[in-house]
Amino acid sequence: MTRPSASLPPEYFERMFQSADDPWDLETSAYEQAKYAHSIRALENRRYDSGFEVGCAKGVLTGLLAPSCRSLLAVDVSGTALRAARKRCEASDHVSFANMAFPGLAPANSFDLVVLSEVAYYWSDQDLGAAADWLLSHLVSGGDLLLVHWTGETDYPQSGDEAVLKLRALLGDRFEVTRAERMAKYRLDLWRRQP
């Protein structure tokens, strides 16, 4: 299989969310619900000052992350998805949303939690490098990076395993692996930023 070398464009995701109410069954599948629960458990009830979720889609995981963060910024490239996410999380006034194609566009502030759930395999090698550079300058010492990715075959620029391994190599020893868990269909990795 030949993979695309460029990151998938925002239009791909906007088309997906316009063509189906729940294109990846994020709201309804038992697989997604179990993966979200695992993601929250992996944080071990830690309370974060400032969280950043990339690719929030319709905000299902965002709503579950919100109680762990004093403030949470969730971004997506699809305006359609963001409207649904804002509505889902409207009772959580400490959660904000932005239409942003990370890592080409990225917040200037720092965070102590960054969540990359089912997003890094959409990125080119160049964008993985840009994401690593941003993480090294915007994830504070002691902060956590949570990565959760499907491990099956993809027709994206990366597989889940490739994306995680490449990002790990780019970040080097400046992050400590605190969790590396492989389930039947996905992997969960939690890395902590070192001083």
Side-chain angles (χ1 to χ4, degrees):
M1 174 179 52
T2 303
R3 295 183 184 281
S5 58
S7 295
L8 296 189
E11 297 78 22
Y12 169 86
F13 300 96
E14 183 61 20
R15 281 194 305 271
M16 292 293 290
F17 283 107
Q18 286 186 359
S19 66
D21 186 52
D22 190 10
W24 287 281
D25 299 324
L26 303 177
E27 299 173 280
T28 57
S29 84
Y31 162 77
E32 294 293 344
Q33 300 311 308
K35 189 181 65 178
Y36 294 149
H38 186 190
S39 299
I40 299 303
R41 281 194 313 273
L43 300 178
E44 297 182 333
N45 296 313
R46 185 173 176 187
R47 183 86 168 145
Y48 298 94
D49 286 327
S50 184
F52 178 48
E53 180 192 8
V54 178
C56 67
K58 294 177 73 177
V60 181
L61 180 57
T62 314
L64 298 172
L65 289 168
S68 299
C69 301
R70 290 185 179 86
S71 70
L72 176 61
L73 171 61
V75 303
D76 203 275
V77 296
S78 166
T80 299
L82 283 168
R83 283 189 290 279
R86 284 187 181 99
K87 184 173 182 181
R88 180 184 302 280
C89 298
E90 63 188 352
S92 300
D93 58 5
H94 67 293
V95 178
S96 59
F97 294 92
N99 192 315
M100 185 179 291
F102 183 89
L105 295 174
N109 46 321
S110 294
F111 300 90
D112 59 350
L113 173 66
V114 175
V115 177
L116 303 179
S117 182
E118 309 285 9
V119 295
Y121 46 39
Y122 297 127
W123 298 337
S124 65
D125 287 350
Q126 181 178 351
D127 278 345
L128 281 172
D133 289 345
W134 183 89
L135 287 163
L136 288 167
S137 59
H138 291 86
L139 186 60
V140 301
S141 177
D144 285 340
L145 172 60
L146 178 65
L147 304 104
V148 186
H149 289 87
W150 188 61
T151 53
E153 280 298 315
T154 72
D155 54 1
Y156 308 142
Q158 320 283 340
S159 69
D161 286 327
E162 288 169 340
V164 173
L165 292 173
K166 286 178 181 180
L167 194 56
R168 179 74 189 134
L170 289 162
L171 294 172
D173 60 3
R174 287 163 285 188
F175 282 76
E176 175 191 7
V177 176
T178 58
R179 281 182 183 255
E181 299 172 355
R182 195 167 193 91
M183 308 305 284
K185 296 182 178 179
Y186 69 93
R187 61 182 295 159
L188 181 147
D189 299 87
L190 185 67
W191 304 338
R192 186 154 295 158
R193 180 74 158 96
Q194 298 302 290

